[in-house]
Amino acid sequence: KYSPQVEVLPWGHNLARSFPVSIYHYDYILAADVVYSRHGNLNELLDTMCHFCQHGTTLIWANEFHHKSDLAFKAKLKKALHTKLLVEVGDVKIYIARGKVTGTPSSWTI
C-alpha cells in the first residue's frame, strides 16, 4: 500500500524541519547496534529518539552496553521516555520505549 522512503537522518539536527511531527508519525521504530563504541553523539541520539517517539509510537532498541557513557545515556533515556527492559543476554539489552504523555503507558505488549 505504501512505498518505502529513504531519508538522511543526522541525529539531532533539523529534526523539526526535516521530519515535522504534524506530517511524520511512526507506529514502530526498530533500532539495533546504534551505539557501538564511545562517541560524543549520545545527546543527539536521545534528541532524535524523543523527536520520533510521539504518542502512539513504540521504540524497540537492542544494543550492547559497555561504557560509563552508555549508562548515563540509558538514565537520560529513562527520564525522557517510558522505558522498560525486555530482554538481557550478556551485554546485549533490548528495551521498549514510548513517548511520555500524561499518565502511564496503557500497555507494554507488542
Side-chain angles (χ1 to χ4, degrees):
K1 183 176 178 179
Y2 298 102
S3 298
Q5 295 179 337
V6 177
E7 299 287 337
V8 174
L9 179 60
W11 292 350
H13 298 283
N14 299 317
L15 294 171
R17 186 178 69 207
S18 299
F19 301 94
V21 295
S22 61
I23 297 172
Y24 292 92
H25 175 78
Y26 303 93
D27 295 321
Y28 293 96
I29 298 170
L30 305 174
D33 293 327
V34 177
V35 179
Y36 54 88
S37 65
R38 289 184 184 191
H39 55 78
N41 299 50
L42 293 178
N43 288 329
E44 289 85 356
L45 173 59
L46 182 61
D47 290 345
T48 302
M49 288 178 162
C50 290
H51 178 79
F52 285 104
C53 283
Q54 301 300 316
H55 179 65
T57 301
T58 299
L59 166 67
I60 301 173
W61 177 40
N63 217 93
E64 288 187 48
F65 295 93
H66 300 285
H67 307 288
K68 289 181 183 180
S69 60
D70 297 341
L71 299 175
F73 176 79
K74 286 192 309 184
K76 288 180 181 180
L77 180 70
K78 288 180 180 182
K79 286 182 182 179
L81 302 172
H82 289 291
T83 306
K84 179 180 178 182
L85 177 65
L86 290 178
V87 178
E88 183 173 358
V89 180
D91 289 336
V92 176
K93 295 175 178 57
I94 301 175
Y95 289 92
I96 186 170
R98 293 203 175 117
K100 286 192 173 180
V101 294
T102 306
T104 58
S106 58
S107 170
W108 286 107
T109 59
I110 299 172

